[in-house]
Amino acid sequence: MAAANKGPIRLGMVGGGRDAFIGGVHRIAARLDGHYELVAGALSGNPKKARASGVDLGLDPDRCYGTYSEMVGGETARPDGIEAVAIVTPNHMHFPPAKAFLEAGIHVICDKPLTLTLAEAKKLAAVVEKTGKLFVLTHNYTGYPMIRQAREMVRKGQLGTLRLVQSEYPQDWLSEKLEASGHKQADWRTDPKRSGAGGCIGDIGTHAWNLATFVSGLETESLCADLDSFVKGRKLDDNANVMLRFKGGAKGMIWASQVAPGNENALKLRVYGTKGGLEWEQEHPNQLWFTPFGEPKRLITRGGAGSIDAAGRVTRVPPGHPEGYLEGFANIYSEAAAAIHAHRKKNGKIPKGVLFPTVTDGLDGMRFIDACVRSSKKNAAWIKL
Amino acid sequence: MAAANKGPIRLGMVGGGRDAFIGGVHRIAARLDGHYELVAGALSGNPKKARASGVDLGLDPDRCYGTYSEMVGGETARPDGIEAVAIVTPNHMHFPPAKAFLEAGIHVICDKPLTLTLAEAKKLAAVVEKTGKLFVLTHNYTGYPMIRQAREMVRKGQLGTLRLVQSEYPQDWLSEKLEASGHKQADWRTDPKRSGAGGCIGDIGTHAWNLATFVSGLETESLCADLDSFVKGRKLDDNANVMLRFKGGAKGMIWASQVAPGNENALKLRVYGTKGGLEWEQEHPNQLWFTPFGEPKRLITRGGAGSIDAAGRVTRVPPGHPEGYLEGFANIYSEAAAAIHAHRKKNGKIPKGVLFPTVTDGLDGMRFIDACVRSSKKNAAWIKL
Amino acid sequence: MAAANKGPIRLGMVGGGRDAFIGGVHRIAARLDGHYELVAGALSGNPKKARASGVDLGLDPDRCYGTYSEMVGGETARPDGIEAVAIVTPNHMHFPPAKAFLEAGIHVICDKPLTLTLAEAKKLAAVVEKTGKLFVLTHNYTGYPMIRQAREMVRKGQLGTLRLVQSEYPQDWLSEKLEASGHKQADWRTDPKRSGAGGCIGDIGTHAWNLATFVSGLETESLCADLDSFVKGRKLDDNANVMLRFKGGAKGMIWASQVAPGNENALKLRVYGTKGGLEWEQEHPNQLWFTPFGEPKRLITRGGAGSIDAAGRVTRVPPGHPEGYLEGFANIYSEAAAAIHAHRKKNGKIPKGVLFPTVTDGLDGMRFIDACVRSSKKNAAWIKL
Amino acid sequence: MAAANKGPIRLGMVGGGRDAFIGGVHRIAARLDGHYELVAGALSGNPKKARASGVDLGLDPDRCYGTYSEMVGGETARPDGIEAVAIVTPNHMHFPPAKAFLEAGIHVICDKPLTLTLAEAKKLAAVVEKTGKLFVLTHNYTGYPMIRQAREMVRKGQLGTLRLVQSEYPQDWLSEKLEASGHKQADWRTDPKRSGAGGCIGDIGTHAWNLATFVSGLETESLCADLDSFVKGRKLDDNANVMLRFKGGAKGMIWASQVAPGNENALKLRVYGTKGGLEWEQEHPNQLWFTPFGEPKRLITRGGAGSIDAAGRVTRVPPGHPEGYLEGFANIYSEAAAAIHAHRKKNGKIPKGVLFPTVTDGLDGMRFIDACVRSSKKNAAWIKL
């Protein structure tokens, strides 16, 4: 099957059909750098809609499956079957297809949070290890070039010993009871059966925490979390105030909210050490503010003066021409592609520098969500992670 | 003594001599609107330096006192003695002179935090009540016009029911052990004997908390505080992570730090309710961001479109010509002057709208500091306020 | 040839091979929304490099041509020949291939400025008219959603009668004599034989002017331009100061520079009328500032509150997730795709709302460059456009 | 009269009574640093109002004059007569009192622009020279610390050889015909009899130009100016587009407008040279952006890292505590005070570093206004300055 190892990576997708949101983002991300070709899909939980959605996208009707199980069967039976699958369903539908595709020898690219429950997450990690297939978690903000740069600067010691991490992710879209209006995104994201035990903390709090640990390299020792459901009748938290203690003594705070009017996706990360500080905002992602202690603050721009290789290898256009959310997301796909290409070869090695979130990051994230929920239930007591 | 009740208010000062910082600020604030004349001083704890500092400022040598006690004696003996005294010493020297002047029938304008200890604070509140004199606490950030506007907008219900308050005050000047170098400001601010039990939390954390409650009108029910001394050998905290629970269910976070490189006086307040959100930054104090939920964010400027009387009555120049820290500070002095003028008259009433922090605010602040310190000692347990 | 009218648009490319810059951008832009498939190329002026570059991109070796003429021949001979070609060469190589492909019945998507000279531009406009094929000029900044919104707001009268337009595009990359170092982009852009009579004014001044007229709808009556070559030995202008008079009495200024340190691609447009003002910056393209006169400034965000259909139809992700340069560029390609799809059908009509720069815009741009150069040569005299 | 040479400088004021604007600003500026005592005034063109305004301010009734001539007489007759006078009247009333006070041996601090006409300006310059008294022009923006720093950085060569200056001062308050509503400020500022031949160009265009030359040190060789009165029936220009040519080859642009909705006092200066660029905005005056070519942009803050003596000597509070318009204005008064103190002594020398705009700057400004008006009348032809 040498032929099957050439050309763009053959990608399938689970979820992401009509009315979905994140599926479209994944498709653009997969397409942007030309590494993938979407060839198959089980694009909805509703088999009819699943097939119709595939036709919408111009897929071969034979490869528009009604369910992910059919897709596993159909694709493994073909010589040109998919090499990787993107799972872009609500959280409760991450584990079952992920397990099935991994066990069928197909790499998985999966949306976050990893699974519905921590128990599932642990099982999935075991499946990944056992199968040896790639598992890529789309913690997409880690794909932003200036986040890569921030991480590298921390690793190189440019901030000295870290003392403080402030990470926040406020939104306002759930300020009113949107789920009562039949809004699809609001509906499943506020439903514990499909979202898991965390609402806001699972949807965006994990992003804030993931980014904090990705950049700082710090390991969370314990936390105390005060979760609220401000909107009457809401089943999951829509605001999370969290304090963190990291191993080694650094401290942190996380604020995630879906009820803060005036905030769209205002994810912001600040990291401070003995020698300097870094600040970054997702809504202006091409800029990284760096202050070496005692010197003027410096504006490092993607591709501009002061930017380094860690950022340059995931950037496409010159400084001053903004890259955005889709480019950052595409970086995860392109990093995954590099890994998949390595897997195509016998004893292939993933090239140096290639970086993407894995099942381990996903498991850590589930532990974080779980700890936050447990802490909050104990009146925001401190909990070991 | 009708004559003594005319003209600018006769002001004395305790502290603020050579090498001091905040005394000069108070003097400019007192002078800016022309309501006061500085006529006497005990400007240092060192009697010689105290007198020399008075001469530096052009005071009548007879009114350059060596100690505050001498000043109480000397001024009460004169027909044209001071009507008010500004106390601008380190925290441990707030209570003794404040008590002495109040009991001598002289109004007191005092720097924050109120006192060295909560016990002292309670005593001082009693002295104020007993003497009936004015006690003005210079929580100067409450003097900023846009902070006044924010408070009024909350009171008018423009944000609906409040849910969230985020207040932060990061600095970086104590990132290294500056107190070891003989730096006067660093020296006393990190010394529990002169500063009290709170370092960062007392120096700037109280500002962040005071501002949050001034604008939101919310009452703190309980808090959990994680205080750190990151700089080796430092005797007081230099970073404070705090979570708040307000009566009625709103939640809050406070972050105060003296070790966050790249931050000068980055006090920032954000308040969110069911109907809208407000955001304000001390370093750009003429701007207030207001988002009515579901509408575009609006930039309200001091004196500009959208600004209201609560701001207008404490503003001097047109929009687009920035006012700053000194003007905000002067507003406290000018509000105090309005109150002192009312006291000059028998049965005089303080005009409507006049607003300044009092001993009650100071006592609340001391309770906040005390609770933070206690919480932190109990491993950041939740503490009722 | 019904088959040939299905599926993604078959695209060829002239220029954009190894070491090129803008070709890669065009390829991503074409790929992002999935409307095109790149199937053929004459990717360099050097036939050997042209073919090798095609192989790099994974093109069928039969369709990796040495020259654009070969490509015209080869593709018109195939039943599945290209339907459109992207011309991404230096300016002197726009006209010859554009003419050849149009005359071969192939739509053209061409980089700006239109041609080397105004004379060529006029000829090209005639060719477009005669052939009836589509000609799309990638004045890519017109693809930004908030620019679309700004234009629509002006058309709807939300600014009242326009009075002022301020447009600027400063860069700094040519502050030193980069062309002397063999830098490919600097080399051709400062060479009159390949760039035309305008340097900075042709490269970026046209963008500033195009955007100003696209949004304002104003027609330039006359201008006076002061062009400079600040870098010693540079053959073309690297800074342009321009004043504009529009028909109807509005006035404008344009500043374009390649020698302003601290500027990357700081394109900024401001438009003011009797009723309000708009401000937009390319480096933060998801934000549009709108001030109705006498009201607070409002921040309109892409996809957020206050955004309108004109923006919404060219946006992909929710507010707060930034789109950037590539998405704006892709919007031009997707608009072109809508037009090409219409052309596929007999009597097909371009859907309402589809908007892209055409040869007319290109001709206007050449007239602007020409007028600027003539004005500057006459000591910056006023020149009718 | 040794006694008269001690203590605060005895200051008089012409203009600035009830309903005036800038007079109040001058009084605060004079008071802020404690160098002056306002002791006399002829505060209005209406003698009755003039006297009443003086009483409002608490002046000795004997020194509340009905006219400036009376004041000259009254004050020169007193042993404790004023040493300096602030002239804060509309432009047509600058020259007569300035001449009278100078000839009476009294220093003059005068608002800008210098006079009603260029002819008057030349006469005034001659009077200043003949009398040897101080003449201080309150081009107040030159008092901002970061503007002082910018100037010094240019002089030290940190920008290399200057190439470009961009200066702009947009406002919006005259977007409608405010002068028709009896608005006092609008009334005289749009009246050629009181304002002179320049409206917007005289009121704020001169500020933009003055600041550009103050910081850059460049001398204007020629200019072309396109002035407009956009509001129907307005007698003076309300928008000015200007292009500049400096001696030595640098170029510049000035935009001043009173009809740009969304702008309050958005004075902005940008200066670029071979080695770097500087950017500064009046509405955020504590920040100066500096980009050494090829390095990341740096944020220099007043009093913070990177700030230099030239800024430090005119600053009062630590970095991060904003100073504003009044502090900048006060710096001019304090610099003037240093000069007046030097004049008090026989052979007194103005201390090194003291810097304030003089009659020469005022004369230059009048030449600039005059040239702009002449250029505009000649259809915006180039005019030598």
Side-chain angles (χ1 to χ4, degrees):
Chain A
M1 271 197 309
N5 268 335
K6 281 198 176 163
I9 295 160
R10 298 178 306 282
L11 182 70
M13 181 168 277
V14 178
R18 289 175 181 174
D19 305 333
F21 154 59
I22 202 70
V25 168
H26 279 254
R27 287 192 292 270
I28 294 177
R31 201 157 53 214
L32 202 131
D33 294 317
H35 298 305
Y36 297 85
E37 188 176 8
L38 181 69
V39 293
L43 298 158
S44 169
N46 174 327
K48 219 169 178 174
K49 194 171 168 184
R51 286 189 202 97
S53 297
V55 173
D56 287 355
L57 295 177
L59 298 185
D60 177 346
D62 287 355
R63 301 175 87 172
C64 299
Y65 301 95
T67 65
Y68 77 83
S69 306
E70 285 178 26
M71 185 162 144
V72 172
E75 291 298 313
T76 48
R78 303 175 65 106
D80 63 348
I82 57 169
E83 301 168 83
V85 67
I87 300 177
V88 299
T89 46
N91 308 345
H92 69 301
M93 278 302 291
H94 289 179
F95 177 71
K99 182 169 182 290
F101 283 99
L102 287 166
E103 291 178 347
I106 292 166
H107 304 302
V108 170
I109 298 170
C110 183
D111 216 333
K112 48 55 59 191
L114 186 62
T115 51
L116 192 71
T117 64
L118 178 54
E120 270 186 5
K122 290 175 183 171
K123 280 186 219 162
L124 186 53
V127 174
V128 172
E129 196 180 5
K130 192 175 147 201
T131 60
K133 306 313 294 180
L134 287 165
F135 188 93
V136 178
L137 192 76
T138 52
H139 257 312
N140 58 292
Y141 303 113
T142 65
Y144 276 118
M146 299 323 280
I147 284 295
R148 300 290 181 102
Q149 167 135 3
R151 183 177 183 266
E152 192 61 22
M153 288 174 74
V154 169
R155 289 159 67 99
K156 280 184 176 164
Q158 289 189 262
L159 268 64
T161 303
L162 296 194
R163 290 170 169 168
L164 299 168
V165 179
Q166 294 286 333
S167 186
E168 63 183 45
Y169 195 155
Q171 298 179 330
D172 67 6
W173 69 297
L174 290 177
S175 288
E176 297 181 351
K177 202 171 178 187
L178 195 57
E179 60 268 43
S181 72
H183 184 284
K184 189 185 155 162
Q185 292 302 318
D187 187 35
W188 79 257
R189 284 176 207 264
T190 59
D191 176 3
K193 287 181 194 150
R194 288 174 283 170
S195 235
C200 173
I201 192 70
D203 194 24
I204 56 175
T206 39
H207 274 306
W209 181 79
N210 171 264
L211 207 65
T213 56
F214 179 79
V215 168
S216 71
L218 292 171
E219 216 174 316
T220 306
E221 189 173 84
S222 59
L223 59 77
C224 103
D226 202 14
L227 310 184
D228 282 278
S229 300
F230 280 109
V231 172
K232 217 177 168 172
R234 180 159 291 159
K235 294 178 202 151
L236 288 172
D237 61 284
D238 49 25
N239 188 79
N241 291 354
V242 186
M243 301 205 311
L244 302 171
R245 290 175 178 171
F246 297 105
K247 285 184 187 158
K251 297 291 175 78
M253 297 179 95
I254 286 181
W255 173 47
S257 186
Q258 294 163 328
V259 295
N263 290 285
E264 293 178 340
N265 283 287
L267 175 59
K268 181 175 175 181
L269 178 67
R270 294 176 283 181
V271 182
Y272 302 103
T274 50
K275 287 190 189 169
L278 284 174
E279 302 172 9
W280 178 86
E281 299 183 24
Q282 192 269 147
E283 297 192 2
H284 301 285
N286 299 281
Q287 302 185 327
L288 178 67
W289 298 95
F290 171 47
T291 310
F293 179 63
E295 296 184 24
K297 192 174 288 245
R298 296 171 192 175
L299 174 58
I300 300 175
T301 55
R302 187 192 44 75
S307 73
I308 58 178
D309 278 0
R313 55 175 292 286
V314 287
T315 185
R316 294 159 191 82
V317 292
H321 279 144
E323 295 193 356
Y325 174 81
L326 291 168
E327 288 82 354
F329 217 111
N331 286 336
I332 304 294
Y333 266 86
S334 295
E335 297 284 61
I340 294 170
H341 281 295
H343 269 252
R344 279 181 171 182
K345 298 175 201 158
K346 210 173 172 175
N347 302 322
K349 267 197 170 173
I350 299 179
K352 209 185 145 185
V354 168
L355 191 62
F356 53 83
T358 68
V359 77
T360 307
D361 300 289
L363 181 53
D364 287 347
M366 291 307 295
R367 284 199 178 104
F368 169 75
I369 297 171
D370 178 73
C372 287
V373 171
R374 284 189 295 126
S375 166
S376 192
K377 282 188 181 156
K378 294 189 186 175
N379 195 25
W382 285 91
I383 294 277
K384 296 261 172 208
L385 206 68
Chain B
M1 268 193 313
N5 267 337
K6 281 198 177 163
I9 295 160
R10 298 179 306 284
L11 182 71
M13 182 168 277
V14 177
R18 289 176 181 174
D19 302 334
F21 154 58
I22 203 69
V25 168
H26 278 253
R27 286 192 294 270
I28 294 176
R31 199 157 53 214
L32 200 131
D33 294 318
H35 297 306
Y36 296 86
E37 188 177 7
L38 181 70
V39 293
L43 298 159
S44 170
N46 173 329
K48 216 168 182 175
K49 194 170 168 186
R51 288 191 201 96
S53 298
V55 172
D56 287 355
L57 295 176
L59 298 185
D60 177 348
D62 285 357
R63 301 176 86 173
C64 298
Y65 301 96
T67 67
Y68 76 84
S69 307
E70 285 178 25
M71 185 162 144
V72 172
E75 290 298 311
T76 49
R78 302 175 65 108
D80 63 347
I82 57 170
E83 301 169 84
V85 67
I87 299 176
V88 298
T89 46
N91 308 345
H92 70 301
M93 277 303 289
H94 288 180
F95 177 71
K99 182 169 182 290
F101 282 98
L102 287 166
E103 290 178 346
I106 291 165
H107 304 303
V108 169
I109 299 170
C110 182
D111 216 334
K112 48 56 55 190
L114 187 63
T115 50
L116 191 72
T117 65
L118 178 54
E120 270 186 4
K122 289 174 183 171
K123 280 186 217 164
L124 185 54
V127 173
V128 171
E129 196 180 4
K130 192 175 148 201
T131 60
K133 306 314 291 178
L134 289 164
F135 188 93
V136 179
L137 191 75
T138 51
H139 257 312
N140 57 293
Y141 302 113
T142 65
Y144 275 120
M146 298 323 281
I147 282 296
R148 300 288 181 102
Q149 167 134 1
R151 182 176 183 266
E152 192 61 21
M153 289 174 75
V154 169
R155 289 159 66 100
K156 280 185 175 162
Q158 289 189 261
L159 268 61
T161 302
L162 296 193
R163 288 170 170 169
L164 299 168
V165 180
Q166 294 285 334
S167 188
E168 62 183 46
Y169 195 155
Q171 299 179 329
D172 67 5
W173 69 298
L174 290 177
S175 289
E176 296 181 352
K177 202 170 178 186
L178 194 57
E179 61 267 43
S181 73
H183 184 283
K184 188 184 157 163
Q185 291 301 318
D187 186 35
W188 78 257
R189 285 175 206 265
T190 59
D191 177 4
K193 287 182 193 149
R194 287 174 284 171
S195 235
C200 174
I201 193 69
D203 194 24
I204 57 175
T206 40
H207 274 307
W209 182 79
N210 170 265
L211 207 64
T213 58
F214 180 79
V215 168
S216 71
L218 293 170
E219 217 174 316
T220 306
E221 191 174 83
S222 59
L223 59 76
C224 104
D226 203 15
L227 310 184
D228 282 279
S229 300
F230 280 110
V231 171
K232 215 175 170 173
R234 180 159 292 159
K235 294 179 202 153
L236 288 172
D237 62 284
D238 48 25
N239 188 80
N241 291 354
V242 186
M243 302 207 309
L244 301 171
R245 290 175 177 171
F246 297 104
K247 285 183 186 160
K251 298 289 175 79
M253 297 179 95
I254 287 180
W255 173 46
S257 187
Q258 294 164 328
V259 295
N263 290 284
E264 292 177 340
N265 282 286
L267 175 59
K268 182 177 176 180
L269 179 67
R270 293 176 286 180
V271 182
Y272 302 103
T274 51
K275 288 189 187 170
L278 284 174
E279 301 172 8
W280 179 85
E281 298 183 23
Q282 193 269 149
E283 297 191 2
H284 300 285
N286 299 280
Q287 303 185 326
L288 179 66
W289 297 95
F290 172 47
T291 310
F293 178 63
E295 298 184 24
K297 194 174 288 247
R298 296 172 192 174
L299 173 59
I300 300 175
T301 55
R302 186 191 46 74
S307 74
I308 57 178
D309 279 0
R313 55 175 293 286
V314 288
T315 184
R316 295 160 191 80
V317 292
H321 278 143
E323 294 192 356
Y325 174 80
L326 292 169
E327 287 83 356
F329 216 112
N331 285 336
I332 304 294
Y333 265 86
S334 295
E335 297 286 60
I340 293 170
H341 281 293
H343 268 253
R344 278 182 172 183
K345 296 176 202 158
K346 211 176 173 174
N347 303 320
K349 268 195 167 174
I350 298 179
K352 210 185 142 184
V354 168
L355 192 62
F356 52 84
T358 67
V359 76
T360 308
D361 299 290
L363 182 53
D364 287 349
M366 291 306 295
R367 284 199 178 105
F368 169 76
I369 296 171
D370 178 73
C372 286
V373 171
R374 283 189 298 127
S375 167
S376 192
K377 281 187 182 159
K378 294 188 186 177
N379 196 24
W382 286 90
I383 294 275
K384 296 262 173 206
L385 207 68
Chain C
M1 269 197 309
N5 268 336
K6 281 198 178 163
I9 296 160
R10 299 178 305 283
L11 182 70
M13 183 169 275
V14 178
R18 289 174 181 174
D19 304 332
F21 154 58
I22 203 68
V25 168
H26 279 254
R27 286 192 294 269
I28 294 176
R31 201 158 52 215
L32 200 130
D33 293 318
H35 298 304
Y36 297 86
E37 189 177 7
L38 183 69
V39 293
L43 297 159
S44 169
N46 173 329
K48 218 167 179 174
K49 193 171 169 186
R51 287 190 201 97
S53 298
V55 172
D56 287 354
L57 294 177
L59 297 185
D60 176 349
D62 287 356
R63 300 175 88 172
C64 298
Y65 301 96
T67 66
Y68 76 84
S69 307
E70 286 177 25
M71 183 162 147
V72 172
E75 291 299 311
T76 49
R78 301 176 68 106
D80 63 348
I82 57 170
E83 301 168 84
V85 68
I87 300 176
V88 299
T89 45
N91 308 344
H92 70 300
M93 276 305 287
H94 289 179
F95 178 71
K99 182 169 181 293
F101 282 98
L102 287 166
E103 290 178 348
I106 291 164
H107 305 300
V108 170
I109 298 169
C110 182
D111 216 335
K112 47 58 51 189
L114 188 62
T115 50
L116 192 71
T117 64
L118 179 54
E120 270 186 4
K122 289 175 184 172
K123 279 185 218 163
L124 184 54
V127 174
V128 172
E129 194 179 9
K130 193 176 147 200
T131 61
K133 306 313 291 179
L134 287 166
F135 187 94
V136 178
L137 192 75
T138 51
H139 257 311
N140 57 293
Y141 302 113
T142 66
Y144 275 119
M146 300 322 281
I147 282 295
R148 299 290 181 101
Q149 167 135 1
R151 183 176 182 266
E152 192 61 21
M153 288 173 75
V154 169
R155 288 159 67 101
K156 280 184 176 164
Q158 289 189 260
L159 269 63
T161 303
L162 296 192
R163 288 170 169 168
L164 299 168
V165 180
Q166 295 284 335
S167 187
E168 62 183 46
Y169 196 155
Q171 297 178 330
D172 67 5
W173 70 297
L174 291 177
S175 289
E176 296 181 352
K177 203 170 179 186
L178 195 56
E179 61 267 43
S181 72
H183 184 284
K184 189 186 155 160
Q185 292 300 320
D187 186 35
W188 78 257
R189 285 175 206 266
T190 59
D191 175 2
K193 286 182 192 148
R194 288 173 284 171
S195 235
C200 173
I201 193 70
D203 193 24
I204 57 174
T206 40
H207 274 306
W209 182 79
N210 171 265
L211 206 65
T213 58
F214 179 79
V215 168
S216 71
L218 293 170
E219 217 175 316
T220 307
E221 192 173 83
S222 59
L223 60 76
C224 102
D226 203 15
L227 309 185
D228 283 278
S229 301
F230 279 109
V231 171
K232 215 175 170 175
R234 180 159 290 160
K235 292 179 202 153
L236 287 173
D237 62 283
D238 49 25
N239 187 79
N241 291 354
V242 185
M243 301 206 310
L244 301 171
R245 290 174 177 171
F246 297 104
K247 285 184 187 160
K251 298 292 174 76
M253 297 180 94
I254 287 179
W255 173 47
S257 186
Q258 295 163 328
V259 294
N263 290 284
E264 292 177 342
N265 282 286
L267 174 59
K268 181 176 177 181
L269 179 66
R270 293 176 285 181
V271 182
Y272 302 103
T274 51
K275 288 188 188 170
L278 285 174
E279 301 172 10
W280 179 86
E281 297 184 25
Q282 194 271 149
E283 297 190 3
H284 301 285
N286 298 280
Q287 304 186 325
L288 179 65
W289 298 94
F290 172 46
T291 310
F293 178 63
E295 297 183 23
K297 193 173 289 245
R298 296 171 192 176
L299 173 58
I300 300 174
T301 55
R302 187 191 45 73
S307 73
I308 59 177
D309 278 1
R313 53 175 295 285
V314 288
T315 185
R316 293 161 192 82
V317 291
H321 279 144
E323 294 192 355
Y325 175 80
L326 291 168
E327 288 82 354
F329 216 111
N331 285 336
I332 304 294
Y333 265 85
S334 293
E335 296 285 61
I340 293 170
H341 282 293
H343 268 254
R344 278 180 172 184
K345 296 174 202 159
K346 211 176 175 175
N347 302 322
K349 266 196 168 173
I350 299 179
K352 209 184 144 186
V354 168
L355 192 62
F356 53 82
T358 68
V359 76
T360 307
D361 300 291
L363 182 52
D364 287 348
M366 292 306 295
R367 284 199 178 105
F368 168 77
I369 297 170
D370 177 74
C372 287
V373 171
R374 283 189 296 126
S375 166
S376 192
K377 280 187 182 156
K378 292 188 186 176
N379 195 25
W382 286 89
I383 294 276
K384 296 263 173 204
L385 206 67
Chain D
M1 272 196 307
N5 266 338
K6 281 199 176 161
I9 295 161
R10 298 178 307 283
L11 182 71
M13 182 169 276
V14 178
R18 291 174 179 175
D19 304 334
F21 155 58
I22 202 70
V25 168
H26 279 253
R27 285 192 294 269
I28 294 176
R31 201 156 53 214
L32 202 130
D33 293 318
H35 298 305
Y36 297 85
E37 188 177 8
L38 182 69
V39 293
L43 298 159
S44 169
N46 173 327
K48 219 167 177 174
K49 194 172 170 183
R51 286 191 201 97
S53 298
V55 172
D56 287 356
L57 295 177
L59 297 185
D60 176 347
D62 287 357
R63 300 174 88 172
C64 298
Y65 301 95
T67 65
Y68 76 83
S69 306
E70 285 176 25
M71 184 162 144
V72 172
E75 291 297 313
T76 47
R78 302 176 66 107
D80 63 348
I82 57 170
E83 300 169 84
V85 68
I87 299 176
V88 298
T89 47
N91 308 344
H92 70 299
M93 277 303 289
H94 289 178
F95 176 70
K99 182 170 182 290
F101 283 98
L102 288 166
E103 291 178 347
I106 292 164
H107 304 302
V108 169
I109 298 170
C110 183
D111 217 333
K112 47 55 56 192
L114 187 62
T115 51
L116 192 72
T117 63
L118 178 54
E120 269 186 5
K122 289 175 183 171
K123 279 185 217 162
L124 186 53
V127 173
V128 172
E129 196 180 6
K130 194 176 146 199
T131 60
K133 307 312 293 180
L134 288 165
F135 187 94
V136 178
L137 192 76
T138 52
H139 256 313
N140 57 292
Y141 302 113
T142 64
Y144 275 119
M146 299 322 281
I147 282 296
R148 300 290 181 100
Q149 167 136 2
R151 181 176 183 266
E152 192 61 22
M153 288 173 74
V154 169
R155 289 158 67 102
K156 280 184 176 163
Q158 288 189 263
L159 269 62
T161 303
L162 297 193
R163 288 169 170 171
L164 299 168
V165 180
Q166 294 285 333
S167 187
E168 62 185 44
Y169 195 155
Q171 298 178 330
D172 66 6
W173 69 297
L174 291 176
S175 288
E176 296 182 352
K177 203 171 177 185
L178 194 57
E179 61 268 42
S181 72
H183 184 285
K184 190 184 155 161
Q185 292 301 318
D187 187 36
W188 79 256
R189 284 175 207 265
T190 60
D191 176 3
K193 286 180 194 150
R194 287 174 285 172
S195 233
C200 173
I201 193 71
D203 194 25
I204 55 176
T206 39
H207 275 306
W209 182 79
N210 170 264
L211 207 64
T213 57
F214 179 79
V215 168
S216 71
L218 292 170
E219 215 174 319
T220 307
E221 188 173 85
S222 58
L223 59 78
C224 103
D226 204 14
L227 310 185
D228 282 278
S229 300
F230 279 109
V231 171
K232 216 175 169 175
R234 180 159 290 161
K235 292 179 201 153
L236 288 173
D237 62 284
D238 49 26
N239 188 79
N241 291 354
V242 185
M243 300 206 310
L244 301 171
R245 291 175 177 170
F246 297 104
K247 284 183 187 160
K251 296 292 175 78
M253 298 180 94
I254 287 179
W255 173 46
S257 186
Q258 295 162 328
V259 296
N263 290 284
E264 293 177 342
N265 283 288
L267 174 60
K268 182 177 176 181
L269 179 67
R270 293 176 284 181
V271 182
Y272 303 104
T274 50
K275 288 189 189 170
L278 284 174
E279 301 173 10
W280 178 85
E281 298 184 25
Q282 193 271 147
E283 298 191 2
H284 300 286
N286 298 282
Q287 302 185 326
L288 179 66
W289 297 95
F290 172 47
T291 311
F293 179 63
E295 297 183 24
K297 192 174 290 246
R298 296 172 191 176
L299 174 58
I300 301 174
T301 55
R302 185 192 47 73
S307 74
I308 56 177
D309 279 359
R313 54 176 295 285
V314 287
T315 185
R316 293 160 193 81
V317 291
H321 278 144
E323 294 193 356
Y325 174 79
L326 292 169
E327 287 82 354
F329 216 112
N331 285 336
I332 305 295
Y333 265 86
S334 295
E335 297 285 60
I340 293 171
H341 281 294
H343 268 253
R344 279 181 171 183
K345 298 176 201 157
K346 210 172 173 177
N347 301 323
K349 266 195 169 174
I350 299 179
K352 208 183 146 187
V354 168
L355 192 61
F356 54 83
T358 68
V359 77
T360 307
D361 299 290
L363 182 53
D364 287 347
M366 292 305 296
R367 283 199 178 104
F368 169 75
I369 297 171
D370 178 73
C372 286
V373 171
R374 284 189 296 127
S375 166
S376 192
K377 281 188 182 156
K378 292 188 185 176
N379 196 24
W382 286 90
I383 294 276
K384 296 262 173 205
L385 205 67

